[in-house]
Amino acid sequence: MRLVFILGDQLTRGISSLDGIEPTRDVVLMVEVAAEATYVRHHKQKLVLVLSAMRHFADELRAEGITVDYVRLDDPDNLQDFTGELARAVARHRPEAVVVTHPGEWRVLQLMRGWAEGIGVPVEIREDDRFLCSPAEFARLTAAGKTGRMEYFYREMRRRTGLLMEGAKPLGGKWNFDAENRKALPRGHQGPQRKRFVPDALTAEVMALVEARFGDHFGRLDRFGWPVTRTEALLALDDFLTVLPAFGDWQDAMQAGEDFLYHALIAPALNIGLLTALEVAQAAEAEYHAGRAPLNAVEGFIRQVIGWREFVRGIYWTGMPGYAATNALNAVRPLPAFYWTGETRMRCLAEVIRGTRDNAYAHHIQRLMVTGNFALLAGIAPGQIEDWYLAVYADAFEWVELPNVHGMVAHADGGRLGSKPYAAAAAYIGRMSDYCRGCGYDAKARTGRNACPMNYLYWNFLITHQDRFGKNPRMALPYKALAAMGEGERAAIVSEAEGFFARIDGPEAPSGQLSLGV
Ligand SMILES: Cc1cc2nc3c(=O)[nH]c(=O)nc-3n(C[C@H](O)[C@H](O)[C@H](O)COP(=O)(O)OP(=O)(O)OC[C@H]3O[C@@H](n4cnc5c(N)ncnc54)[C@H](O)[C@@H]3O)c2cc1C
Ligand code: SF4
């Protein structure tokens, strides 16, 4: 008899640990443990998503005749961590072996590697074959030169899957249509009504549990609408396909009050196993072939799913644990309290944090160019900003969150993920959103009483890291502009930035960002 241990982000019938399961003999183990809910204080919606999806998935397995030993969070005997619960289950079932699929987090892999010895049963850790590229293949593919960059890796994934290919050539004659995907929204644009799923009785029960046990975690629960079963996830994918034609043009655009726009809203479902990357990419491709979506939108979406998503996973598994320990820009500032309260005069940040609290969601550009950009410019310690992202987004699992934050946002990996830091001043935010129009700060001013902090922090960042980035050809333009500034203006920028840092680092800062004028 084998005990198949399924984790909360492995909720798919095709998961490798279930291969060859013998329902009359084997038992599936699923456990809800407080240690995993609290090692970072996850957003309440994320907890509901995972726990509700686990309970639904267990019911689906039982309906197939599979025995599921399911330990609930409020079970009085629950030891509340993976290792303790596995040991208890082994004592209950006395299996010959435990079978698991490789986890999504290096920390959990270390736990798993200790189980055989600690619990006294052989533990088989199977590869997670939901991905197109294994870590070993990734290491081989990206070993040298140009192929180490995402764009070349992505082309290889296109060739391998045949997606948007005409023989050996990319459909439309180009691999990448990104240049067409950076449009701003027209003023006052109204986004589409997106499909949200009304919680069923089981989800409602989990919501009550989460509110009772983790009520002080970040986030609102009353707006929960994530898909929690494969059937719902497929409906969410269908909903996305109806807005896919506009996804390309406006995937970088932001607008106050429009929390979802034309984005897929499928990452939570993908990351816990309710959908697979290949099926969503193929569904998008089919829209192109049916003449319902343009190539720039479909290519842009497919690149995110089979390019970026696979690439960051490869970076994570080939780089850990050393990858997370790097801090190339020596960033050490603590995370300002307004990341949790949203109380800041900076409207861009307040709006993205408000959406994050309401939905456990923000789209890519909001994460990268608003909360991420500020963290980069302010030199927030990578570990602190990573913990925040891991906690607040419903789709955040470390294999995908960490490289995006550590590499793309914080540039802490010294450029492994991106050859230049994603740093921007207010002009970028003003171009891609309507945030600046309603902001109390002056988006055009670099210095002075009401100058936008993104401006002086941006120039201060360039000054601080001139030795590292001054000769980077991709940063030639901003450094030319910096060189053209007079000494007086440079000094004023540094002094504005120092004053700002003193306010956010100060002893009163945690509860009083607004009153401090930040
Ligand atoms: C700082 C930062 C942190 C992020 N943290 C996460 C995270 O914890 N989990 C996560 O799934 N994504 C993360 N991303 C990537 C991206 O922001 C989310 O995948 C996306 O916002 C999810 O929403 P969506 O399904 O509407 O995606 P869309 O914007 O519609 O994109 C389609 C799909 O492409 C994939 N994708 C797009 N960009 C990336 C990327 N950079 N890395 C990996 N997959 C990508 C996702 O699966 C997504 O569902 C992060 C990006 C940044 C800049
Ligand atoms: S003016 Fe500055 S702080 Fe205000 S919304 Fe624009 S970029 Fe953000």
Side-chain angles (χ1 to χ4, degrees), residues 67 88 120 132 165-167 189 198 223 286 325 333 453 456 470 489:
T67 306
R88 274 201 327 125
L132 301 173
M165 296 297 291
E166 254 172 343
H189 180 82
V198 179
R223 295 190 52 169
R333 176 157 287 106
Y456 51 75
E489 188 165 11

Side-chain angles (χ1 to χ4, degrees), residues 392-405:
V392 301
Y393 292 113
D395 54 39
F397 295 87
E398 199 180 81
W399 63 267
V400 51
E401 169 274 325
L402 187 93
N404 270 300
V405 181

Side-chain angles (χ1 to χ4, degrees), residues 345-349 370 425-427 429-430 433-444 451-455:
R345 280 180 60 212
M346 288 176 276
R347 187 169 182 238
C348 50
L349 281 156
V370 179
I429 294 174
S433 77
D434 65 353
Y435 298 151
C436 301
R437 268 181 245 140
C439 182
Y441 285 115
D442 180 351
K444 295 222 159 50
C452 165
M454 294 289 193
N455 288 340

Side-chain angles (χ1 to χ4, degrees), residues 206-434:
V206 172
M207 286 166 83
L209 175 73
V210 166
E211 204 56 88
R213 296 274 305 230
F214 310 109
D216 59 345
H217 283 208
F218 179 71
R220 275 173 75 165
L221 211 42
D222 55 328
R223 295 190 52 169
F224 184 88
W226 295 108
V228 293
T229 62
R230 174 154 171 83
T231 308
E232 287 183 348
L234 287 168
L235 290 172
L237 175 60
D238 283 349
D239 177 60
F240 169 57
L241 296 179
T242 66
V243 302
L244 171 62
F247 169 81
D249 286 359
W250 289 326
Q251 66 174 283
D252 286 5
M254 302 173 278
Q255 188 172 302
E258 289 285 351
D259 294 344
F260 305 119
L261 285 168
Y262 300 91
H263 287 271
L265 312 182
I266 56 162
L270 261 177
N271 295 350
I272 63 173
L274 304 180
L275 296 170
T276 69
L278 192 58
E279 78 181 331
V280 305
Q282 284 169 340
E285 184 191 37
E287 292 301 293
Y288 170 73
H289 289 305
R292 287 191 291 265
L295 191 53
N296 70 309
V298 173
E299 187 282 317
F301 175 73
I302 287 178
R303 177 159 24 88
Q304 309 301 328
V305 175
I306 68 165
W308 276 112
R309 188 169 184 269
E310 296 282 332
F311 190 75
V312 297
R313 180 171 183 262
I315 295 272
Y316 180 80
W317 283 114
T318 55
M320 286 298 280
Y323 185 80
T326 53
N327 188 357
L329 303 186
N330 296 319
V332 293
R333 176 157 287 106
L335 188 76
F338 63 71
Y339 272 76
W340 297 109
T341 63
E343 287 177 18
T344 162
R345 280 180 60 212
M346 288 176 276
R347 187 169 182 238
C348 50
L349 281 156
E351 180 59 16
V352 174
I353 293 165
R354 194 263 322 136
T356 300
R357 185 200 60 210
D358 288 358
N359 309 303
Y361 180 82
H363 71 66
H364 187 80
I365 292 298
Q366 293 175 311
R367 296 186 203 194
L368 184 62
M369 301 310 293
V370 179
T371 42
N373 183 45
F374 179 86
L376 171 74
L377 300 183
I380 310 294
Q384 297 223 358
I385 187 75
E386 284 150 27
D387 281 356
W388 185 80
Y389 278 94
L390 187 59
V392 301
Y393 292 113
D395 54 39
F397 295 87
E398 199 180 81
W399 63 267
V400 51
E401 169 274 325
L402 187 93
N404 270 300
V405 181
H406 194 82
M408 218 183 292
V409 161
H411 205 78
D413 62 359
R416 173 69 186 90
L417 203 65
S419 55
K420 77 175 188 56
Y422 287 89
Y428 175 86
I429 294 174
R431 192 162 62 246
M432 295 314 299
S433 77
D434 65 353

